[in-house]
Amino acid sequence: MSDEQFAAALENFTRKPGADSALRLITSCRDFICRQAMRWREPALSLSDKMREIMSEILLILLEDFDPTRISHPNSVLSYLQTKIMRLTRPEYKRRLVLIDNCDELESGRCNFSPERLRLAEEIFVIVRRSLLGWHDYETARLEFLFIHVYPEIRWISRLTAEHNGEDENTRIECDKKRHQNFNRNLRNELATLQNGDFSEIMSWSSGERSHLAWRLINIAPAEIGSELESERQQLSEWRENIDRRQPQSLANLAVAEKLLNSMKSTRNDFIKTSLVAEEAAPYGEEPDILLQLLGRPVENLNVAEDAADWNEPVTTITDSVTIEVFAQVAGEVSHWLENLIPDKKPAEIKGKNTYNSY
């Protein structure tokens, strides 16, 4: 694959997503996809299953998280895709999520996405972002930002902010529990008004579908912040992937999170609204935590992560005929799925709907 071929296929897909442009795009990065599939250490999945998950994840990312005007070089797009695919194929390196209702499932099934489910996922994403960025109390907004984008647990966040503010840790924890209750109650009320389905529907989704939605909520795409904060975006990602929240956290990381939160509020100020203060919540723990249902719980992982430099192997060309044949078959299936996923959408409508979380 040459940079020119990939760039042309990418431009064609973003301009007119469909079966033909999807197939052309997938084929242009065949070696990239095959390498990731062959390095995916999941014996319960066949090579074709692995290719299918990677292909469909790439296409979903480009439909939802991508803005072609931000491209500086085709390699920057592949780097972004590689980082997100790494969460799927290298669970020992990136945080694995346990989705509460189907935690024993393999992380597969992205091709189960239908137009209806994709619209529901989009609406849930918008509501969560709008609730976070439009919340009236900054202390709560910062708490939920860290809960969503770093680690979904209250106590470690309370300890960090108590240190930052010079407060009593236990008092802070109790206050933050109440803040989280109110945010959770408000979010639950917002999700009760979904126009494209019912929130309970996602509990029956495949692990792959739910994982895609969870990581879309967790990930901060480059266009959600000012371009001058790209380094901070990477720092937050590294903090998330390496955090041991049982240990003291750096106040410098908290400052990075605050910069990103403020930038997101500024970048997407049309999402800002005055949130209603929720009614007094029941005692903490008696109501389901909506964010945990969406995000899942990270698995404790005390293993040493694989070095990223080892994973980023030198570019090689895939020449094995069996692998190429499997790739061609799966690419055709995934391209057909993509065509059915957006049959009634014109490119302009897709852009208009998805410009919030773009590359």
Side-chain angles (χ1 to χ4, degrees):
M1 173 194 67
S2 68
D3 290 343
E4 293 76 15
Q5 289 173 324
F6 176 70
L10 180 63
E11 192 278 334
N12 188 48
F13 177 78
T14 55
R15 179 173 48 83
K16 188 178 181 180
D20 291 341
S21 59
L23 181 60
R24 197 172 301 123
L25 176 68
I26 292 171
T27 303
S28 74
C29 50
R30 183 191 68 189
D31 294 346
F32 169 79
I33 293 171
C34 289
R35 284 196 302 275
Q36 314 323 319
M38 289 187 289
R39 288 187 63 102
W40 187 351
R41 298 167 188 163
E42 179 47 79
L45 292 176
S46 67
L47 180 61
S48 61
D49 289 334
K50 295 173 182 177
M51 288 181 179
R52 184 174 294 104
E53 293 303 316
I54 293 171
M55 290 177 190
S56 54
E57 181 74 355
I58 287 174
L59 294 176
L60 287 169
I61 290 169
L62 293 179
L63 280 178
E64 298 173 342
D65 295 354
F66 187 74
D67 178 2
T69 64
R70 295 287 292 266
I71 299 175
S72 58
H73 189 277
N75 286 346
S76 67
V77 180
L78 283 177
S79 177
Y80 182 66
L81 292 173
Q82 179 172 279
T83 298
K84 299 195 76 174
I85 295 299
M86 195 174 183
R87 296 186 182 125
L88 171 64
T89 62
R90 321 283 338 135
E92 75 279 11
Y93 179 78
K94 296 293 180 183
R95 186 176 86 180
R96 180 190 284 275
L97 300 175
V98 173
L99 300 169
I100 295 172
D101 296 284
N102 52 4
C103 59
D104 293 328
E105 276 191 41
L106 291 171
E107 191 173 322
S108 59
R110 285 163 178 78
C111 277
N112 290 339
F113 264 118
S114 63
E116 295 75 22
R117 289 187 175 185
L118 196 62
R119 286 194 294 269
L120 179 57
E122 177 71 20
E123 189 178 6
I124 290 172
F125 167 80
V126 169
I127 286 175
V128 173
R129 280 294 198 267
R130 186 178 62 209
S131 296
L132 172 66
L133 301 181
W135 194 260
H136 60 279
D137 172 51
Y138 183 78
E139 293 292 322
T140 301
R142 182 177 59 186
L143 169 72
E144 302 304 335
F145 178 91
L146 294 170
F147 191 95
I148 294 170
H149 297 294
V150 181
Y151 197 97
E153 182 186 85
I154 298 296
R155 288 183 175 273
W156 78 268
I157 304 171
S158 298
R159 288 194 294 267
L160 177 59
T161 49
E163 179 186 358
H164 175 264
N165 297 339
E167 300 171 332
D168 175 74
E169 180 180 307
N170 291 327
T171 301
R172 180 74 195 200
I173 289 173
E174 291 307 311
C175 289
D176 281 346
K177 284 181 179 180
K178 292 178 180 179
R179 291 184 177 102
H180 187 65
Q181 285 174 347
N182 287 335
F183 185 86
N184 184 64
R185 173 72 61 85
N186 186 81
L187 183 59
R188 187 180 65 182
N189 291 340
E190 291 275 357
L191 292 171
T193 66
L194 287 166
Q195 300 299 305
N196 291 289
D198 190 275
F199 179 74
S200 63
E201 293 177 27
I202 72 166
M203 305 307 167
S204 64
W205 288 8
S206 69
S207 184
E209 290 171 296
R210 292 192 62 186
S211 178
H212 175 82
L213 173 59
W215 277 111
R216 189 171 181 215
L217 293 169
I218 293 167
N219 184 67
I220 299 174
E224 295 193 76
I225 57 173
S227 58
E228 73 280 2
L229 292 180
E230 177 59 23
S231 175
E232 284 80 357
R233 191 183 75 88
Q234 296 292 341
Q235 289 177 50
L236 188 82
S237 179
E238 291 171 8
W239 185 19
R240 176 176 64 242
E241 308 306 345
N242 297 297
I243 188 173
D244 181 352
R245 86 273 187 226
R246 297 162 300 185
Q247 301 298 322
Q249 303 299 312
S250 169
L251 291 177
N253 284 337
L254 181 60
V256 166
E258 290 179 329
K259 284 184 180 180
L260 292 170
L261 173 58
N262 291 330
S263 182
M264 288 173 73
K265 283 175 169 285
S266 175
T267 300
R268 197 60 189 188
N269 55 21
D270 58 320
F271 259 28
I272 302 302
K273 68 170 186 176
T274 301
S275 298
L276 297 176
V277 178
E279 60 185 276
E280 187 65 26
Y284 186 74
E286 292 190 4
E287 295 182 324
D289 192 311
I290 299 298
L291 282 178
L292 279 181
Q293 288 182 317
L294 286 167
L295 303 177
R297 297 181 185 273
V299 173
E300 293 290 348
N301 186 0
L302 303 179
N303 297 327
V304 177
E306 178 183 10
D307 192 290
D310 294 335
W311 188 76
N312 289 320
E313 61 188 18
V315 174
T316 56
T317 301
I318 303 298
T319 57
D320 177 69
S321 59
V322 174
T323 301
I324 293 174
E325 182 178 350
V326 171
F327 177 92
Q329 178 182 344
V330 176
E333 295 170 359
V334 173
S335 299
H336 180 70
W337 162 77
L338 189 283
E339 179 75 15
N340 293 330
L341 190 65
I342 50 173
D344 302 320
K345 294 293 182 182
K346 299 177 182 178
E349 293 175 323
I350 296 170
K351 297 291 182 204
K353 181 172 70 70
N354 292 326
T355 49
Y356 176 67
N357 188 30
S358 51
Y359 174 81

